[in-house]
Amino acid sequence: DAGVIQSPRHEVTEMGQEVTLRCKPISGHNSLFWYRQTMMRGLELLIYFNNNVPIDDSGMPEDRFSAKMPNASFSTLKIQPSEPRDSAVYFCASSPPRGANSPLHFGNGTRLTVT
Amino acid sequence: QKEVEQNSGPLSVPEGAIASLNCTYSDRGSQSFFWYRQYSGKSPELIMFIYSNGDKEDGRFTAQLNKASQYVSLLIRDSQPSDSATYLCAVRDSTLGRLYFGRGTQLTVWP
C-alpha cells in the first residue's frame, strides 16, 4: 500500500499566484480530508469529502480557497490568489469506510511558502 | 469547530518514566477518540484509538477515556528518547464524522 500521496512536497510562490496542491488517497478509502497546520493554530480541518462529495467546507478560510474531488483517487486544493498568511503545511488524509472508528491516514504534506 | 484542548507542554520526563498526556473535548456526543504522534517535520501517525469508557492498552501505551468528564488521556510507560515528539489528541464529532485535533503536547524524554 503506497499510502496517501501528496504533491508537491514543497511549494514556494509569490503573493498573488495560483497554487494547486494534489492528493491521491489510499485505494478503497472513501473519506478524504484537507488540513492546514501552523504553529499558531495547529491542525485545522479545511474540508471533508465522503464518496467524492464535499460534506463540510466550513473550515475553508475564504473564497480564495477551493477544493475538488473529481473521482475516488484524486483531489486538489487550490488557492487563488495566494497570500503570505497562507504559508503553512497542508495535509491530505483519507480513511476507510468502517464508521466512526476509522482512523485517518495522513500524507507527507505540502509545505507552502508564499513570499 | 469543536473544541479539543491539550496542555501544550513542553512535557519533559526521564527515560524509563511514565509520561501522562491529557485531552478534554467539548462535543458530548463524540464517540471515538484518537491519539496521533507527530515527529518534527513529519506527518501525524496513529498510535491508538478508543471509543469505550475505561482503559485500552497497546504495548507501552494506554489510552483512558471518561465520557462523563469528557476527558481522554494517553499514558506512555517506560518512556524512551524515541518517544520524543508532539502528541495530538483527535475527536470525531457526532454529526458529520469530522476529526478535530488538539494543538498537541510536546514531549521530551531525556536519557
Side-chain angles (χ1 to χ4, degrees), chain A residues 30-33 35 45 47-50 55-56 93-96 98-104, chain B residues 2 27 29-34 36 90-101:
Chain A
N30 71 334
S31 293
L32 184 140
F33 302 75
Y35 286 88
L45 176 62
I47 188 168
Y48 160 39
F49 292 89
N50 192 51
I55 302 300
D56 179 36
S94 68
S95 68
R98 289 187 301 207
N101 297 331
S102 299
L104 265 61
Chain B
K2 305 293 173 61
D27 181 6
S30 297
Q31 295 297 315
S32 50
F33 309 86
F34 303 81
Y36 282 79
V91 176
R92 191 179 290 276
D93 83 352
S94 55
T95 52
L96 297 178
R98 297 160 295 192
L99 203 63
Y100 291 111
F101 284 82

Side-chain angles (χ1 to χ4, degrees), chain B residues 10 32 38-39 48 50 63 75 81-82 91 103:
Chain B
S32 50
Q38 186 175 25
Y39 292 111
M48 60 193 306
I50 186 169
L75 299 178
S82 59
V91 176
R103 295 190 58 186

Side-chain angles (χ1 to χ4, degrees), chain B residues 22-111:
Chain B
N22 305 314
C23 173
T24 59
Y25 58 94
S26 64
D27 181 6
R28 184 169 289 278
S30 297
Q31 295 297 315
S32 50
F33 309 86
F34 303 81
W35 283 100
Y36 282 79
R37 176 176 61 198
Q38 186 175 25
Y39 292 111
S40 180
K42 302 296 186 181
S43 59
E45 55 180 337
L46 180 70
I47 298 174
M48 60 193 306
F49 69 88
I50 186 169
Y51 56 88
S52 298
N53 272 331
D55 296 359
K56 179 180 179 182
E57 187 174 316
D58 184 359
R60 294 186 297 111
F61 299 94
T62 299
Q64 299 173 318
L65 174 61
N66 184 325
K67 290 186 179 179
S69 300
Q70 297 176 238
Y71 175 90
V72 59
S73 65
L74 180 70
L75 299 178
I76 306 175
R77 291 182 301 280
D78 189 24
S79 297
Q80 302 297 308
S82 59
D83 295 327
S84 298
T86 295
Y87 289 80
L88 300 166
C89 172
V91 176
R92 191 179 290 276
D93 83 352
S94 55
T95 52
L96 297 178
R98 297 160 295 192
L99 203 63
Y100 291 111
F101 284 82
R103 295 190 58 186
T105 298
Q106 185 179 345
L107 172 66
T108 299
V109 181
W110 44 277

